Every structure is written in C-alpha cells, then in structure tokens.
Coordinates of all heavy atoms in Angstrom, one line a residue:
M1 N -18.5 -24.0 31.2 CA -17.7 -22.9 30.9 C -17.9 -21.8 32.0 O -18.9 -21.8 32.7 CB -18.2 -22.3 29.6 CG -17.7 -23.0 28.4 SD -18.1 -21.9 27.1 CE -17.5 -22.9 25.7
A2 N -16.9 -21.0 32.1 CA -16.9 -19.9 33.1 C -17.8 -18.9 32.6 O -18.0 -18.6 31.4 CB -15.6 -19.4 33.4
E3 N -18.5 -18.2 33.5 CA -19.4 -17.1 33.2 C -18.5 -15.9 32.8 O -17.4 -15.7 33.5 CB -20.3 -16.8 34.4 CG -21.4 -17.8 34.7 CD -22.2 -17.2 35.8 OE1 -22.5 -16.1 35.9 OE2 -22.8 -18.0 36.5
T4 N -19.0 -15.1 31.9 CA -18.2 -13.9 31.6 C -19.1 -12.7 32.1 O -20.2 -12.8 32.0 CB -18.0 -13.8 30.1 OG1 -19.4 -13.8 29.4 CG2 -17.2 -15.0 29.5
T5 N -18.3 -11.8 32.6 CA -19.0 -10.5 33.0 C -18.4 -9.3 32.2 O -17.4 -9.6 31.6 CB -18.8 -10.3 34.5 OG1 -17.3 -10.2 34.7 CG2 -19.3 -11.4 35.3
D6 N -19.1 -8.2 32.3 CA -18.6 -7.1 31.5 C -17.5 -6.4 32.4 O -16.8 -5.5 31.8 CB -19.8 -6.0 31.4 CG -20.4 -5.6 32.7 OD1 -20.2 -6.3 33.7 OD2 -21.1 -4.6 32.6
K7 N -17.2 -6.8 33.6 CA -16.1 -6.2 34.3 C -14.8 -7.0 34.0 O -14.7 -8.1 33.8 CB -16.4 -6.3 35.9 CG -17.6 -5.5 36.3 CD -17.7 -5.7 37.7 CE -19.1 -5.1 38.2 NZ -19.3 -5.2 39.6
T8 N -13.7 -6.2 34.0 CA -12.4 -6.9 33.9 C -12.1 -7.5 35.3 O -12.5 -7.0 36.3 CB -11.3 -5.9 33.5 OG1 -11.2 -5.0 34.5 CG2 -11.7 -5.1 32.2
P9 N -11.2 -8.5 35.3 CA -10.8 -9.2 36.5 C -10.1 -8.2 37.5 O -10.3 -8.4 38.7 CB -9.8 -10.3 36.0 CG -10.2 -10.5 34.6 CD -10.7 -9.2 34.1
K10 N -9.4 -7.2 36.9 CA -8.7 -6.4 37.9 C -9.7 -5.5 38.6 O -9.6 -5.4 39.8 CB -7.8 -5.4 37.0 CG -6.4 -5.9 36.9 CD -5.5 -4.8 36.2 CE -4.2 -5.3 35.8 NZ -3.4 -4.2 35.2
K11 N -10.7 -5.0 37.9 CA -11.7 -4.1 38.6 C -12.4 -4.9 39.5 O -12.7 -4.4 40.6 CB -12.6 -3.5 37.5 CG -12.0 -2.4 36.8 CD -13.1 -1.8 35.8 CE -12.4 -0.6 35.0 NZ -13.3 0.0 34.1
S12 N -12.8 -6.1 39.2 CA -13.6 -7.0 40.2 C -12.7 -7.3 41.4 O -13.2 -7.3 42.5 CB -13.9 -8.4 39.5 OG -14.6 -9.1 40.3
F13 N -11.5 -7.6 41.2 CA -10.6 -7.9 42.2 C -10.4 -6.7 43.2 O -10.5 -6.9 44.5 CB -9.1 -8.3 41.8 CG -8.1 -8.5 42.9 CD1 -8.1 -9.6 43.7 CD2 -7.1 -7.4 43.0 CE1 -7.1 -9.7 44.7 CE2 -6.2 -7.6 44.1 CZ -6.2 -8.7 44.8
F14 N -10.2 -5.5 42.7 CA -10.0 -4.4 43.5 C -11.3 -3.9 44.2 O -11.3 -3.4 45.3 CB -9.3 -3.2 42.8 CG -7.9 -3.4 42.4 CD1 -7.4 -3.6 41.2 CD2 -7.0 -3.4 43.4 CE1 -6.0 -3.9 41.0 CE2 -5.6 -3.6 43.2 CZ -5.2 -3.9 41.9
K15 N -12.5 -4.2 43.6 CA -13.7 -3.9 44.1 C -13.9 -4.8 45.4 O -14.3 -4.4 46.5 CB -14.9 -4.1 43.2 CG -16.2 -3.7 43.7 CD -17.3 -3.8 42.6 CE -18.5 -3.3 43.2 NZ -19.6 -3.5 42.2
G16 N -13.5 -6.0 45.2 CA -13.6 -7.0 46.3 C -12.7 -6.7 47.4 O -13.0 -6.7 48.7
L17 N -11.5 -6.2 47.1 CA -10.4 -5.9 48.1 C -10.9 -4.7 48.8 O -10.7 -4.6 50.0 CB -9.2 -5.6 47.4 CG -7.9 -5.3 48.2 CD1 -7.5 -6.6 48.9 CD2 -6.7 -4.9 47.3
K18 N -11.5 -3.7 48.2 CA -12.0 -2.5 48.9 C -13.1 -2.8 49.8 O -13.1 -2.3 51.0 CB -12.4 -1.5 47.7 CG -12.8 -0.1 48.4 CD -13.2 0.9 47.2 CE -13.6 2.2 47.7 NZ -13.9 3.1 46.8
S19 N -14.0 -3.7 49.5 CA -15.1 -4.1 50.4 C -14.5 -4.9 51.6 O -15.0 -4.7 52.7 CB -16.1 -4.8 49.6 OG -15.9 -6.2 49.7
E20 N -13.5 -5.6 51.4 CA -12.9 -6.4 52.5 C -12.2 -5.4 53.4 O -12.2 -5.6 54.7 CB -11.9 -7.5 52.0 CG -12.6 -8.7 51.4 CD -13.5 -9.5 52.2 OE1 -13.1 -9.6 53.5 OE2 -14.6 -9.7 51.8
F21 N -11.5 -4.4 52.9 CA -10.8 -3.4 53.8 C -11.8 -2.6 54.6 O -11.5 -2.3 55.7 CB -9.9 -2.5 52.9 CG -8.6 -2.9 52.8 CD1 -8.1 -3.5 51.6 CD2 -7.7 -2.7 53.8 CE1 -6.8 -3.9 51.4 CE2 -6.4 -3.2 53.6 CZ -5.9 -3.7 52.5
R22 N -13.0 -2.4 54.2 CA -14.0 -1.7 54.9 C -14.4 -2.6 56.1 O -14.9 -2.0 57.2 CB -15.3 -1.5 54.2 CG -15.1 -0.4 53.1 CD -16.3 0.0 52.5 NE -16.0 0.9 51.4 CZ -16.5 0.9 50.1 NH1 -17.3 -0.2 49.8 NH2 -16.2 1.8 49.2
K23 N -14.2 -4.0 56.1 CA -14.6 -4.7 57.2 C -13.6 -4.9 58.4 O -13.8 -5.3 59.4 CB -14.9 -6.2 56.7 CG -16.0 -6.3 55.8 CD -16.1 -7.8 55.3 CE -17.1 -7.9 54.1 NZ -17.2 -9.2 53.6
I24 N -12.4 -4.3 58.1 CA -11.4 -4.4 59.1 C -11.7 -3.5 60.3 O -12.0 -2.4 60.1 CB -10.0 -4.0 58.5 CG1 -9.6 -4.9 57.4 CG2 -8.9 -3.9 59.6 CD1 -8.3 -4.5 56.7
V25 N -11.5 -4.1 61.5 CA -11.6 -3.3 62.7 C -10.3 -3.1 63.3 O -9.6 -4.0 63.8 CB -12.5 -4.0 63.7 CG1 -12.6 -3.2 65.0 CG2 -13.8 -4.3 63.1
W26 N -9.9 -1.8 63.2 CA -8.5 -1.4 63.7 C -8.6 -1.3 65.3 O -9.5 -0.7 65.8 CB -8.0 -0.2 63.0 CG -7.8 -0.4 61.6 CD1 -8.7 0.0 60.7 CD2 -6.7 -1.0 60.9 NE1 -8.3 -0.3 59.4 CE2 -7.0 -1.0 59.5 CE3 -5.6 -1.7 61.4 CZ2 -6.2 -1.5 58.6 CZ3 -4.8 -2.2 60.4 CH2 -5.0 -2.1 59.0
T27 N -7.5 -1.6 65.9 CA -7.5 -1.5 67.4 C -7.2 0.0 67.7 O -6.5 0.7 66.9 CB -6.4 -2.4 68.1 OG1 -5.1 -2.1 67.6 CG2 -6.7 -3.8 67.9
S28 N -7.5 0.5 68.9 CA -7.2 1.8 69.4 C -5.7 1.9 69.7 O -5.0 0.9 69.9 CB -8.0 2.2 70.5 OG -7.6 1.5 71.7
K29 N -5.2 3.2 69.6 CA -3.8 3.3 69.9 C -3.5 2.8 71.5 O -2.4 2.3 71.7 CB -3.4 4.8 69.8 CG -1.9 5.1 70.1 CD -1.6 6.5 69.8 CE -0.1 6.8 70.0 NZ 0.3 8.2 69.7
E30 N -4.3 3.0 72.3 CA -4.1 2.6 73.7 C -4.1 1.1 73.9 O -3.2 0.6 74.6 CB -5.4 3.1 74.7 CG -5.4 4.6 74.8 CD -6.7 5.1 75.4 OE1 -7.6 4.2 75.5 OE2 -6.8 6.2 75.6
D31 N -5.0 0.4 73.1 CA -4.9 -1.1 73.2 C -3.7 -1.5 72.5 O -3.1 -2.5 73.0 CB -6.1 -1.7 72.4 CG -7.5 -1.5 73.2 OD1 -7.4 -1.4 74.4 OD2 -8.5 -1.6 72.5
L32 N -3.2 -0.9 71.4 CA -2.0 -1.3 70.7 C -0.8 -1.1 71.6 O 0.1 -2.1 71.8 CB -1.8 -0.5 69.5 CG -0.6 -0.9 68.6 CD1 -0.8 -2.3 68.1 CD2 -0.5 0.1 67.4
V33 N -0.7 -0.2 72.4 CA 0.4 0.1 73.3 C 0.4 -1.0 74.4 O 1.4 -1.5 74.7 CB 0.4 1.5 73.9 CG1 1.4 1.8 75.1 CG2 0.7 2.6 72.8
K34 N -0.8 -1.2 75.0 CA -0.9 -2.2 76.1 C -0.5 -3.5 75.6 O 0.2 -4.3 76.2 CB -2.4 -2.3 76.6 CG -2.8 -1.0 77.4 CD -4.3 -1.3 77.8 CE -4.8 0.0 78.6 NZ -6.2 -0.2 78.8
Q35 N -0.9 -4.0 74.4 CA -0.6 -5.2 73.9 C 0.9 -5.4 73.6 O 1.5 -6.4 73.8 CB -1.4 -5.6 72.7 CG -2.9 -5.8 73.0 CD -3.8 -5.9 71.8 OE1 -3.3 -5.9 70.6 NE2 -5.1 -6.1 72.1
T36 N 1.5 -4.2 73.1 CA 2.8 -4.3 72.7 C 3.7 -4.4 74.0 O 4.7 -5.1 74.0 CB 3.2 -3.0 72.0 OG1 2.4 -2.8 70.9 CG2 4.7 -2.9 71.7
V37 N 3.4 -3.7 75.1 CA 4.0 -3.8 76.3 C 4.0 -5.2 76.8 O 5.0 -5.8 77.3 CB 3.5 -2.8 77.4 CG1 4.1 -3.0 78.7 CG2 3.8 -1.3 76.9
I38 N 2.8 -5.8 76.8 CA 2.6 -7.2 77.3 C 3.5 -8.1 76.5 O 4.2 -9.0 77.1 CB 1.1 -7.6 77.2 CG1 0.3 -6.8 78.3 CG2 1.0 -9.2 77.4 CD1 -1.2 -7.0 78.1
V39 N 3.6 -8.0 75.2 CA 4.4 -8.9 74.4 C 5.9 -8.7 74.7 O 6.6 -9.7 74.8 CB 4.2 -8.6 72.9 CG1 5.2 -9.3 72.0 CG2 2.7 -9.1 72.6
V40 N 6.4 -7.5 74.9 CA 7.8 -7.2 75.3 C 8.1 -7.8 76.6 O 9.2 -8.5 76.7 CB 8.1 -5.7 75.2 CG1 9.5 -5.4 75.7 CG2 8.0 -5.3 73.7
V41 N 7.3 -7.6 77.6 CA 7.5 -8.1 78.9 C 7.5 -9.7 78.9 O 8.5 -10.3 79.5 CB 6.4 -7.6 79.9 CG1 6.5 -8.3 81.3 CG2 6.6 -6.2 80.1
I42 N 6.6 -10.3 78.3 CA 6.5 -11.7 78.3 C 7.7 -12.3 77.4 O 8.4 -13.3 77.8 CB 5.2 -12.3 77.6 CG1 4.1 -12.0 78.6 CG2 5.3 -13.7 77.2 CD1 2.8 -12.3 78.0
S43 N 8.2 -11.5 76.4 CA 9.4 -11.9 75.6 C 10.6 -11.9 76.5 O 11.5 -12.8 76.5 CB 9.6 -11.1 74.4 OG 8.5 -11.3 73.5
L44 N 10.8 -10.9 77.3 CA 11.9 -10.7 78.2 C 11.9 -11.8 79.3 O 12.9 -12.3 79.6 CB 11.9 -9.4 78.9 CG 12.2 -8.2 77.9 CD1 12.1 -6.9 78.6 CD2 13.6 -8.3 77.3
I45 N 10.7 -12.1 79.9 CA 10.6 -13.2 80.8 C 11.0 -14.4 80.3 O 11.8 -15.3 80.8 CB 9.2 -13.2 81.4 CG1 9.0 -12.0 82.3 CG2 9.0 -14.5 82.3 CD1 7.5 -11.8 82.8
M46 N 10.4 -14.8 79.0 CA 10.8 -16.1 78.4 C 12.4 -16.2 78.1 O 13.0 -17.2 78.2 CB 10.0 -16.3 77.1 CG 8.6 -16.6 77.4 SD 8.2 -17.9 78.3 CE 8.8 -19.2 77.4
C47 N 12.9 -15.0 77.7 CA 14.3 -15.0 77.3 C 15.2 -15.3 78.6 O 16.0 -16.1 78.6 CB 14.7 -13.6 76.8 SG 16.5 -13.4 76.5
A48 N 14.8 -14.7 79.8 CA 15.5 -15.0 81.0 C 15.3 -16.5 81.4 O 16.2 -17.1 81.9 CB 14.9 -14.1 82.2
L49 N 14.1 -16.9 81.2 CA 13.8 -18.3 81.6 C 14.6 -19.3 80.8 O 15.3 -20.3 81.3 CB 12.3 -18.6 81.5 CG 11.9 -20.1 81.9 CD1 12.1 -20.3 83.4 CD2 10.3 -20.2 81.5
I50 N 14.7 -19.1 79.5 CA 15.4 -20.0 78.6 C 16.9 -19.8 78.8 O 17.6 -20.9 79.0 CB 15.2 -19.6 77.1 CG1 13.7 -20.0 76.8 CG2 16.1 -20.3 76.1 CD1 13.2 -19.6 75.3
T51 N 17.3 -18.6 79.2 CA 18.7 -18.5 79.6 C 19.2 -19.3 80.8 O 20.2 -20.0 80.8 CB 19.1 -17.0 79.7 OG1 18.8 -16.3 78.4 CG2 20.6 -16.8 79.9
A52 N 18.3 -19.2 81.8 CA 18.5 -19.9 83.0 C 18.6 -21.4 82.8 O 19.5 -22.1 83.3 CB 17.5 -19.5 84.1
I53 N 17.5 -21.9 82.1 CA 17.5 -23.3 81.8 C 18.7 -23.8 81.1 O 19.4 -24.8 81.4 CB 16.2 -23.7 81.1 CG1 15.0 -23.5 82.1 CG2 16.2 -25.1 80.6 CD1 13.6 -23.6 81.3
D54 N 19.1 -23.0 80.0 CA 20.3 -23.3 79.3 C 21.5 -23.4 80.2 O 22.4 -24.2 80.0 CB 20.4 -22.2 78.1 CG 21.6 -22.7 77.2 OD1 21.6 -23.7 76.7 OD2 22.5 -21.7 76.9
S55 N 21.7 -22.4 81.1 CA 22.9 -22.3 81.9 C 22.9 -23.6 82.8 O 24.0 -24.1 83.0 CB 22.8 -21.0 82.8 OG 22.9 -20.0 81.8
V56 N 21.8 -23.8 83.3 CA 21.7 -25.1 84.3 C 22.1 -26.3 83.5 O 22.8 -27.1 83.9 CB 20.4 -25.2 85.0 CG1 20.1 -26.5 85.6 CG2 20.1 -24.0 85.9
V57 N 21.6 -26.5 82.3 CA 21.8 -27.7 81.6 C 23.3 -27.7 81.1 O 23.9 -28.8 81.2 CB 20.9 -27.8 80.3 CG1 21.3 -28.9 79.4 CG2 19.4 -28.0 80.8
L58 N 23.8 -26.7 80.7 CA 25.2 -26.6 80.4 C 26.1 -27.0 81.6 O 27.1 -27.7 81.4 CB 25.5 -25.1 79.8 CG 27.0 -24.9 79.3 CD1 27.3 -25.8 78.1 CD2 27.1 -23.5 78.9
E59 N 25.9 -26.4 82.8 CA 26.7 -26.7 84.0 C 26.5 -28.2 84.2 O 27.5 -28.9 84.6 CB 26.2 -25.8 85.0 CG 26.6 -24.4 85.0 CD 28.2 -24.3 84.8 OE1 28.9 -25.0 85.5 OE2 28.6 -23.3 84.0
G60 N 25.4 -28.8 84.1 CA 25.1 -30.2 84.3 C 25.9 -31.0 83.4 O 26.6 -32.0 83.7
I61 N 26.0 -30.6 82.1 CA 26.7 -31.3 81.1 C 28.2 -31.2 81.4 O 28.9 -32.3 81.3 CB 26.4 -30.9 79.7 CG1 25.0 -31.3 79.3 CG2 27.3 -31.5 78.7 CD1 24.5 -30.8 78.0
N62 N 28.7 -30.1 81.8 CA 30.0 -29.9 82.1 C 30.5 -30.7 83.3 O 31.6 -31.4 83.3 CB 30.4 -28.4 82.4 CG 30.5 -27.6 81.2 OD1 30.6 -28.2 80.0 ND2 30.2 -26.3 81.2
L63 N 29.6 -30.9 84.3 CA 29.9 -31.8 85.5 C 30.1 -33.2 85.1 O 30.9 -34.0 85.6 CB 28.9 -31.6 86.6 CG 28.9 -30.2 87.4 CD1 27.7 -30.2 88.3 CD2 30.2 -30.2 88.1
L64 N 29.2 -33.6 84.1 CA 29.2 -35.0 83.6 C 30.4 -35.3 82.8 O 31.0 -36.3 82.9 CB 28.0 -35.3 82.9 CG 26.7 -35.4 83.7 CD1 25.4 -35.5 82.7 CD2 26.7 -36.5 84.7
V65 N 30.8 -34.3 82.1 CA 32.0 -34.6 81.2 C 33.3 -34.5 81.9 O 34.2 -35.3 81.6 CB 32.0 -33.5 80.0 CG1 33.3 -33.6 79.2 CG2 30.8 -33.6 79.2
K66 N 33.5 -33.8 82.9 CA 34.7 -33.6 83.6 C 34.8 -34.8 84.5 O 34.7 -35.6 85.2 CB 34.7 -32.3 84.6 CG 34.9 -31.1 83.7 CD 35.0 -29.9 84.5 CE 35.1 -28.7 83.7 NZ 35.3 -27.5 84.3

C-alpha cells in the first residue's frame, strides 16, 4: 500500500516545484544576447548554404531533364 501523509498531493507538488525552481541558474543578460546573436548568425549562414545547395541541385536536375 502507498504511504499516506498529512499533506495533500497539491501542497506536496507545489512544495517540490518551488524547491526545484530555486535550483535554476539563470543566464545573465549579456550571455543571453551573445548566444542569441550566435544562433541568428548561424541560422542565416545555414539558410544561405541550404539555398545555394538547393539552387545547384535544381539547376543540375533541369540540365538532366532538358
């Protein structure tokens, strides 16, 4: 059988949730901005790379079909 406690499940859940939130380490604003810029730059580079590869493959297919 399960153990019974005098606490309700809701109180126990929220108490555990509160203790877990205390363990969170938030990044500083400077680090967040740096990481965001890096993600945006890498995304743009990947977009350009995928576009270039797609264009080359499309042209190659068009040459084969014609």
Side-chain angles (χ1 to χ4, degrees):
M1 281 192 183
E3 291 185 29
T4 56
T5 60
D6 57 344
K7 297 178 184 177
T8 64
K10 273 188 184 179
K11 286 184 182 179
S12 177
F13 172 77
F14 286 112
K15 186 176 180 182
L17 186 64
K18 187 175 179 180
S19 94
E20 290 299 319
F21 267 105
R22 288 188 186 129
K23 296 178 187 177
I24 296 174
V25 178
W26 298 98
T27 60
S28 67
K29 185 175 181 179
E30 295 167 348
D31 287 341
L32 183 65
V33 169
K34 287 178 188 177
Q35 292 173 0
T36 302
V37 168
I38 290 170
V39 167
V40 169
V41 168
I42 290 175
S43 296
L44 291 173
I45 290 170
M46 292 302 296
C47 178
L49 184 62
I50 291 171
T51 301
I53 291 171
D54 184 53
S55 296
V56 168
V57 170
L58 182 63
E59 288 300 318
I61 290 173
N62 283 340
L63 285 174
L64 290 173
V65 171
K66 287 183 181 182

